[in-house]
Amino acid sequence: MQDKKDLSNKVAILNIPGQEPIELPILKGTLGPDVIDIRALGKKGYFTYDPGFVSTASCSSKITFIDGSKGTLLYRGYPIDQLATKTNYLEVCYLLLKGELPNKEQYADFENKVVHHTLIHEQITSLFKAFRRDSHPMAVLCGIAGALSAFYHEGLDIYDPESRERTAIRLIAKIPTLAAMSYKYSIGHPFVYPRNDLSYAGNFLYMMFSTPCEKYEVNPVIERALDRIFTVHADHEQNASTSSVRLAGSSGANPYACIAAGIASLWGPAHGGANEACLRMLEEIGSVDRIPEFIERAKDKNDPFRLSGFGHRVYKSYDPRATVMRETCHEVLNELHIENHPLLDIATELERIALSDDYFISRNLYPNVDFYSGITLSAIGIPTNMFTVIFALARTIGWISHWNEMQEMEDSRIGRPRQIYKGKEIRQVKSMSKR
Ligand code: SDX
């Protein structure tokens, strides 16, 4: 496609042999690259081909913006490092959902609504019993989150803004309760009911680690660190799990079922499952002197091994969330007096070596949000198989904010990608005796 300068970049011209040139509008966003609107191509009998959607904008959104070359991440225009240090996660939830940071009254009202929806229907506790005790907590969370659609379906009007806000509040409020229950169930401990007098992160720590046998005090440094971890995981444009939620939601499906689709997609080790995979990788490396062996494996095209926690589809520079996570990691280790965390030494040396190796430099492979989160979460006492559950907890606000934005869009249509067909030509069925 070539731009015609005299059209001042308003259209791209697609010249296809034997066809009249096709004019495709160029759309400008507030920030980031222009997009070429290819919607007219379908009527001309052409599809575009972009497996993995590397060069495809699937929607228009006002929620989050990433500049991968500069390592910039904005939630509704606010830089992530400022949000991580100057706000708390519930303020960020309000911001992502409604578009502005709350003032004092708005925050108090929002927090009050969330706090009074943290309980789940008592019958849901029975659903946990259908899972094996050794089930992966993500399998449990995915199943139970989807089951919420059986409790909140009748009377749910996805076209009514108030009904959508109630759904968002319910999900923000209940996901920590369900996440903590997934953990308690996996270790055979009794479920702990939420407490309305604790902060969002403090309540989650309480539901995770308290027992009926003794008083549990929330550590304020850990509470603040966890709240910040939630904030940096809250949203990230049209990543795989958010796109799964949007695609499921585009059919008008129940929003709780759509969130279950997001949880399912996040679980993969190429996506939200990377935090668990990264910690297991650091444990497998085991010592600093084995790092070169794993660096070579990561570079070997015949070896499926990749450095978990490294690389990103969008960031071609340092993931700004990894910076916040690294600082938080050191803060937590200091607070807990964990001087020489063996995995931190391996992670720090692995990062140093990789960032000086041409293979990683030439491919713009940097640590991503998952690289330091595992060490931090394990230091807090969260088991490895719960890391992606923490990610899902934090990302629920991003998922439901995008689902909500999609429902608000005038031109929202069911997502239905096309394909390039490489199968058989048309052919006739032969009877079994003739095959
Ligand atoms: C998240 O999309 C989001 O925003 C996701 C997320 C969010 O907040 O929602 O940011 C959360 O998912 C972070 C990413 C977590 N995943 C991992 O850490 C797993 C390890 N990373 C890779 O699997 C990979 O980097 C991806 C999946 C993250 C990105 O894959 P891409 O964009 O498809 O990149 P690619 O596979 O085309 O890689 C380009 C090149 C390839 O080499 P060449 O074919 O050019 O020779 O870089 C290589 C890859 O082999 N490469 C790696 C690598 N990541 C990419 N080589 C070694 N180790 C790695 N980690």
Side-chain angles (χ1 to χ4, degrees):
M1 297 180 189
Q2 71 196 59
D3 291 339
K4 274 186 171 176
K5 293 297 170 225
D6 57 346
L7 285 170
S8 64
N9 271 347
K10 287 275 186 289
V11 290
I13 309 289
L14 179 62
N15 294 308
I16 300 174
Q19 290 264 4
E20 282 297 304
I22 301 173
E23 286 193 4
L24 300 171
I26 295 176
L27 308 179
K28 278 194 169 310
T30 314
L31 296 169
D34 297 343
V35 299
I36 297 172
D37 182 343
I38 57 164
R39 283 177 285 187
L41 282 185
K43 294 188 183 74
K44 304 273 184 188
Y46 286 96
F47 301 147
T48 58
Y49 183 61
D50 185 17
F53 310 118
V54 178
S55 308
T56 295
S58 61
C59 64
S60 162
S61 179
K62 299 176 181 174
I63 299 174
T64 293
F65 175 72
I66 304 168
D67 182 330
S69 59
K70 295 183 187 140
T72 305
L73 170 58
L74 308 177
Y75 289 169
R76 300 283 190 179
Y78 293 106
I80 191 66
D81 56 325
Q82 291 185 32
L83 291 169
T85 49
K86 296 178 178 173
T87 69
N88 69 29
Y89 177 70
L90 272 191
E91 289 177 82
V92 168
C93 288
Y94 187 99
L95 172 67
L96 289 170
L97 191 60
K98 292 170 169 285
E100 296 297 337
L101 282 167
N103 62 31
K104 204 167 171 200
E105 294 72 30
Q106 291 163 334
Y107 180 78
D109 175 57
F110 187 71
E111 184 185 41
N112 184 57
K113 283 176 183 165
V114 170
V115 156
H116 290 92
H117 279 87
T118 51
L119 269 178
I120 56 143
H121 194 293
E122 194 64 12
Q123 269 188 279
I124 289 180
T125 57
S126 321
L127 292 178
F128 281 85
K129 295 186 178 65
F131 290 91
R132 287 169 41 142
R133 286 284 180 186
D134 61 354
S135 303
H136 193 290
M138 277 299 279
V140 178
L141 186 68
C142 190
I144 301 287
L148 288 178
S149 57
F151 289 80
Y152 304 108
H153 188 68
E154 295 319 315
L156 176 67
D157 178 0
I158 65 173
Y159 303 106
D160 167 39
E162 282 182 23
S163 182
R164 291 204 300 268
E165 172 159 324
R166 200 166 37 253
T167 298
I169 296 278
R170 278 194 174 122
L171 280 159
I172 299 165
K174 296 182 193 307
I175 202 77
T177 309
L178 296 177
M181 290 171 78
S182 304
Y183 169 62
K184 285 297 198 187
Y185 183 74
S186 73
I187 60 172
H189 277 200
F191 295 139
V192 174
Y193 285 91
R195 269 179 47 185
N196 292 353
D197 61 321
L198 296 174
S199 73
Y200 192 87
N203 185 36
F204 178 67
L205 288 168
Y206 169 74
M207 294 189 288
M208 278 285 289
F209 298 123
S210 77
T211 68
C213 321
E214 56 192 21
K215 196 166 162 42
Y216 176 82
E217 287 294 326
V218 175
N219 177 322
V221 174
I222 304 303
E223 177 184 24
R224 180 73 193 117
L226 191 60
D227 187 272
R228 200 178 309 138
I229 289 170
F230 292 161
T231 289
V232 299
H233 285 83
D235 193 51
H236 215 236
E237 287 190 3
Q238 307 309 321
N239 56 84
S241 53
T242 299
S243 297
S244 301
V245 171
R246 277 183 175 261
L247 196 55
S250 72
S251 72
N254 178 293
Y256 299 92
C258 297
I259 295 300
I263 295 171
S265 171
L266 185 77
W267 194 1
H271 189 14
N275 51 20
E276 175 178 351
C278 184
L279 196 89
R280 296 197 193 286
M281 172 189 74
L282 294 173
E283 288 167 341
E284 188 186 356
I285 293 173
S287 66
V288 168
D289 54 23
R290 289 194 65 202
I291 290 174
E293 168 197 337
F294 283 83
I295 292 273
E296 287 317 303
R297 282 189 57 195
K299 292 153 70 169
D300 178 357
K301 291 303 166 205
N302 299 318
D303 187 333
F305 174 79
R306 286 193 166 178
L307 289 186
S308 281
F310 254 81
H312 198 276
R313 171 64 57 77
V314 179
Y315 288 119
K316 299 312 170 193
S317 61
Y318 215 93
D319 182 336
R321 302 168 299 173
T323 308
V324 175
M325 285 308 306
R326 187 178 54 208
E327 289 158 10
T328 304
C329 185
H330 287 291
E331 211 176 285
V332 165
L333 296 181
N334 292 340
E335 170 64 19
L336 298 175
H337 310 298
I338 302 172
E339 269 68 42
N340 305 310
H341 192 297
L343 296 184
L344 182 62
D345 297 341
I346 296 170
T348 308
E349 182 61 5
L350 176 61
E351 176 183 0
R352 187 191 67 77
I353 295 174
L355 295 187
S356 57
D357 183 301
D358 183 57
Y359 173 92
F360 296 90
I361 295 168
S362 62
R363 291 168 177 79
N364 298 308
L365 300 176
Y366 291 84
N368 58 47
V369 68
D370 297 304
F371 191 63
Y372 285 100
S373 53
I375 297 171
T376 313
L377 294 173
S378 69
I380 291 173
I382 293 169
T384 307
N385 67 4
M386 279 290 292
F387 291 176
T388 311
V389 170
I390 303 294
F391 197 150
L393 184 167
R395 183 54 57 89
T396 294
I397 181 56
W399 291 331
I400 201 64
S401 298
H402 281 274
W403 173 82
N404 184 57
E405 180 179 63
M406 180 175 67
Q407 305 302 341
E408 288 173 342
M409 289 287 184
E410 293 296 320
D411 63 351
S412 179
R413 305 178 68 186
I414 188 167
R416 206 281 186 211
R418 302 304 300 272
Q419 62 175 17
I420 181 170
Y421 175 67
K422 294 279 195 179
K424 296 284 189 189
E425 299 276 355
I426 191 166
R427 52 184 175 159
Q428 306 308 309
V429 174
K430 294 192 182 80
S431 62
M432 180 75 84
S433 60
K434 291 195 174 121
R435 288 179 210 155

